[in-house]
Amino acid sequence: MNLRRIRQLVPAYEVTEGAGVTVHRSIGTPALRNLDPFLMLDHFGSDNPDEYIAGFPEHPHRGFITFTYMLDGHMEHRDSMGNRGDLKAGGIQWMKAASGVIHSEMPQQTNGLMRGFQLWINLPARDKMSAPAYQEFSAAAIPEVRLDGARVRVLAGELGDTRGVIEDPATDVRYLDVSLQAGARFSVPLSDTHNAFVYVFEGGARLADEVLATHNLAVLGPGDTMDIEAGSSGARFILVAGRPIGEPVVQYGPFVMNTRDEIKQAFADYEAGQLVQARATMTGH
Ligand code: CO
């Protein structure tokens, strides 16, 4: 057993996104531009409607996947192809934007807590211009594993014999939401070919003798096992791993391609009203 240590500790910082929504960003910052195949991690969380009510009005994406996990609240997703999705507490949406999607993500509440994550996962060159697709699941569809002092929601990939609901063939993404009671320990095998990170969003934890506070992201170093222990007030974190793509990343706002020419093409297509080239399919329940 080779325990993964912390290669880099990244405190998230507040940025304003969409039409004025406050988020904590960790991946996709000057300190951590990306972590192949992950391009961005935003943690939104507020009980002040002024900080989320404006939502994310219509905007484009091309070349990657957005993975949204709602912890609390209710957002409605609509896209330019007539797809509509409801994201409620505990639910997830995997949207392969690929060749192009124009969508909006708007709050369906005027008060109360709105909390969750949006993770951007890159696509390999061969999939960047493929047809868009959605996988969307409500909280009830997501398997949960109970261990000693731990509750784990398996969103993607596996934990023991339990397999998550999202299929992500290109980068084999694994995505776990782990809640630990005070002092509880969680040990999990992690493929040593995959990049991985932990992001703490409640309480605090200790990983390989280093302290992880709320809003801290830990990039894990090489190894085949992660071992983490909750602090005195417990901990809740996401553990995400994926197979690196190893290709050049050229990003400009909502477009992530391999070359500058492909980015120029994305802008040209968007301006000509031709960003959306294929209708997305939707699966899930
Ligand atoms: Co979006």
Side-chain angles (χ1 to χ4, degrees):
M1 189 170 74
N2 186 4
L3 283 181
R4 286 189 178 231
R5 307 188 69 82
I6 297 179
R7 194 177 80 204
Q8 188 184 352
L9 188 66
V10 182
Y13 71 90
E14 285 190 11
V15 295
T16 302
E17 258 305 313
V21 181
T22 307
V23 304
H24 277 92
R25 182 166 295 167
S26 43
I27 301 175
T29 60
L32 184 60
R33 193 42 68 200
N34 56 58
L35 176 65
D36 191 7
F38 306 111
L39 301 163
M40 193 191 81
L41 179 68
D42 277 354
H43 170 213
F44 49 96
S46 175
D47 56 7
N48 174 5
D50 290 344
E51 292 182 353
Y52 63 71
I53 203 72
F56 303 90
E58 205 162 84
H59 59 277
H61 294 289
R62 174 179 279 180
F64 60 101
I65 291 161
T66 65
F67 192 135
T68 306
Y69 178 25
M70 286 299 283
L71 294 165
D72 296 285
H74 181 191
M75 288 248 241
E76 183 191 64
H77 153 101
R78 278 178 190 273
D79 75 18
S80 48
M81 296 157 288
N83 290 308
R84 197 188 150 275
D86 259 320
L87 269 163
K88 292 182 179 167
I92 50 182
Q93 185 205 57
W94 178 98
M95 178 183 92
K96 185 176 77 157
S99 56
V101 163
I102 298 172
H103 76 153
S104 62
E105 298 148 296
M106 298 301 287
Q108 302 298 299
Q109 65 194 60
T110 52
N111 56 57
L113 186 60
M114 169 77 77
R115 200 166 66 125
F117 291 100
Q118 189 167 89
L119 175 70
W120 288 11
I121 308 166
N122 205 3
L123 282 166
R126 65 169 188 277
D127 292 334
K128 281 189 180 288
M129 292 304 287
S130 63
Y134 297 96
Q135 299 174 60
E136 197 171 281
F137 295 91
S138 62
I142 297 169
E144 210 169 276
V145 177
R146 297 219 171 233
L147 301 163
D148 198 20
R151 183 193 69 137
V152 185
R153 305 191 77 225
V154 186
L155 312 183
E158 80 292 326
L159 180 65
D161 297 333
T162 304
R163 185 126 197 113
V165 284
I166 298 289
E167 292 298 329
D168 191 300
T171 50
D172 188 31
V173 167
R174 188 171 189 198
Y175 196 142
L176 307 178
D177 167 9
V178 183
S179 303
L180 293 182
Q181 290 168 10
R185 205 168 180 143
F186 178 66
S187 221
V188 63
L190 274 182
S191 170
D192 59 7
T193 55
H194 286 33
N195 283 332
F197 68 86
V198 168
Y199 180 88
V200 177
F201 61 99
E202 286 176 23
R206 184 172 279 274
L207 200 162
D209 297 327
E210 285 190 72
V211 171
L212 281 173
T214 305
H215 295 137
N216 280 177
L217 180 136
V219 177
L220 303 184
D224 56 23
T225 306
M226 186 203 68
D227 186 67
I228 193 166
E229 190 180 349
S232 55
S233 56
R236 191 169 176 193
F237 59 89
I238 53 172
L239 166 63
V240 181
R243 188 194 303 120
I245 294 169
E247 293 175 357
V249 175
V250 183
Q251 177 169 0
Y252 200 94
F255 306 132
V256 185
M257 304 300 288
N258 298 107
T259 68
R260 289 180 60 88
D261 280 350
E262 290 166 345
I263 293 290
K264 281 189 203 146
Q265 189 62 50
F267 273 99
D269 288 349
Y270 184 50
E271 262 147 42
Q274 287 168 357
L275 184 86
V276 176
Q277 303 188 349
R279 193 185 164 89
T281 56
M282 203 163 216
T283 57
H285 54 274

